[in-house]
Amino acid sequence: VSGSRDNSVRAWDLRTGRPRLHLTQHFGGVQCLAFDDKLDGGTGGYLSGARDSTINVWARSGHFLRTLRSHKGLVNAMAVRQNEGKNGESRVASGSSDGCLRIWDHHSSRCVRTLQAHQQAVTSVVWGPGPSTVITGSTDSAVKLWNTRTGQQVRSWEGHAGTVTQVLADGGRAYSSSRDGTVRVWAVP
């Protein structure tokens, strides 16, 4: 699956190298993609975040399901976590150029939590190693750990001298890369 500046999402047939689906619902270039295997009755589906400040939700078949609207800036990053909701539903965390981190019940189109995560754009989002935790990276060079149930910042790590381009979590560690050419490893409480 790929997203493009031409405002579209394409699902590719890996055997033929040709697009299997061409999805066109955005009004701005697609910045990020995620897959959720619990969408559409368990058959799975795609989420696409774009420069038009929206997240579109698609069935694996290509059927458009819904649009999530709440961000004030372009959607830069998304991550799906299974079994995060009250009844074991998946949740989506999204980060935007407005500096906000939003947690979505994308099955019902509901934003369940909004956090002003950074003073500048959120560039990367990953669910943390603990329950209800998200790690964000930003153009402000900071990496932050959030509790999505309480809305509280748990930790802020500083040390990069440039935009954080990617954050990852594995076990009790968070990893971040930056335009300053470094990769940093952080201990997660």
Side-chain angles (χ1 to χ4, degrees):
V1 178
S2 64
S4 173
R5 288 184 180 172
D6 72 0
N7 308 345
S8 73
V9 175
R10 287 183 172 86
W12 298 88
D13 183 320
L14 297 178
R15 284 175 281 132
T16 67
R18 295 191 175 151
R20 186 176 53 78
L21 298 171
H22 183 222
L23 313 173
T24 56
Q25 194 73 23
H26 283 293
F27 296 100
V30 176
Q31 297 285 103
C32 54
L33 298 164
F35 182 79
D36 182 357
D37 59 10
K38 289 197 174 185
L39 275 171
D40 199 27
T43 62
Y46 314 106
L47 295 99
S48 55
R51 297 181 70 82
D52 62 7
S53 304
T54 66
I55 298 169
N56 286 333
V57 184
W58 312 86
R60 185 180 281 206
S61 66
H63 176 73
F64 174 73
L65 298 174
R66 64 191 66 86
T67 297
L68 309 178
R69 289 182 174 87
S70 192
H71 280 294
K72 305 288 185 263
L74 57 97
V75 180
N76 288 322
M78 285 187 301
V80 173
R81 182 174 220 162
Q82 303 300 330
N83 303 316
E84 185 65 22
K86 290 180 183 174
N87 299 316
E89 307 100 352
S90 53
R91 291 284 188 260
V92 172
S94 62
S96 168
S97 64
D98 61 9
C100 285
L101 166 66
R102 296 186 189 276
I103 308 300
W104 300 89
D105 175 351
H106 57 292
H107 303 278
S108 67
S109 302
R110 202 167 57 89
C111 180
V112 297
R113 170 103 35 212
T114 301
L115 303 170
Q116 186 62 50
H118 294 268
Q119 294 302 310
Q120 296 179 27
V122 175
T123 54
S124 186
V125 172
V126 66
W127 286 93
S132 302
T133 59
V134 170
I135 300 168
T136 57
S138 172
T139 56
D140 65 10
S141 305
V143 177
K144 297 182 181 183
L145 175 66
W146 300 92
N147 181 311
T148 62
R149 289 210 176 130
T150 66
Q152 298 298 306
Q153 179 181 303
V154 176
R155 179 75 44 100
S156 180
W157 297 287
E158 298 187 12
H160 286 297
T163 295
V164 175
T165 55
Q166 187 69 44
V167 291
L168 298 171
D170 182 32
R173 289 190 164 69
Y175 303 85
S176 58
S177 62
S178 169
R179 287 199 179 143
D180 66 8
T182 65
V183 174
R184 297 195 177 263
V185 181
W186 314 95
V188 176

